[in-house]
Every structure is written in structure tokens, then in C-alpha cells.
Amino acid sequence: MLVAPSNAPAGWVKAGQACQRLQLQATADGLKTSFVNQTVEEPGQRAQLQSLLGLGDQRPILVLRIERGAALPQSLRRPVSQVLKRAPA
């Protein structure tokens, strides 16, 4: 779980940066991640989670599951030439 010091944009950004670092490291270590955010998206459940974990004013932002798993196929991608057009020089 990623927790921000408060419910403010600066805390959300820091939690997002931490999430990015965590997911990149997990991928480098051969681990899979997935979001399990239902408990932090619903205000009543989030308040219960804060209380249960003794977080005080800190706000749970993201819940991630990290595990080992089989390799999944990569998603299909269009060629770059179909997506980007160069402006004439």
C-alpha cells in the first residue's frame, strides 16, 4: 500500500512517483503487479482502512498486489509511422 502524508495534490504526486518506481523495480525483478484499489476508492472503506492501520491523517492512495507469474503476451502496437507524422522541415 502506498500512503500519502495528507489528501493533497503534492501527496498524490509523491505516491504516483513511488508507484512508478515500485512497478519498474518489480518488473526488473521479474515480478508482476496489479492494482487492488477498491478499498481506497470508496470513502467509507478508506476511512476503515486508515483506522485499522492507525494511519491518522495519512491517506492510503494505492494498493498493489505484487507476485510472481507466468509471462504474458505483449499488447499489440501499431507501427510508429502510423501514429506520428513528421512536419516538413
Side-chain angles (χ1 to χ4, degrees):
M1 178 183 333
L2 297 171
V3 177
S6 65
N7 185 21
W12 306 338
V13 170
K14 287 188 180 283
Q17 290 170 330
C19 180
Q20 177 186 30
R21 290 183 189 111
L22 187 144
Q23 289 185 297
L24 287 170
Q25 186 62 55
T27 300
D29 293 340
L31 301 170
K32 311 292 184 219
T33 63
S34 58
F35 293 99
V36 189
N37 282 338
Q38 295 86 343
T39 57
V40 295
E41 290 176 352
E42 200 285 314
Q45 289 182 358
R46 183 176 50 244
Q48 287 180 337
L49 186 61
Q50 281 176 284
S51 176
L52 179 69
L53 298 176
L55 296 176
D57 291 335
Q58 297 179 76
R59 179 186 172 98
I61 299 289
L62 295 169
V63 179
L64 290 165
R65 180 176 58 211
I66 303 170
E67 61 189 341
R68 297 198 182 282
L72 299 174
Q74 293 185 340
S75 59
L76 299 175
R77 301 282 189 238
R78 292 187 298 176
V80 172
S81 62
Q82 288 183 3
V83 180
L84 297 177
K85 303 291 182 196
R86 291 186 178 227

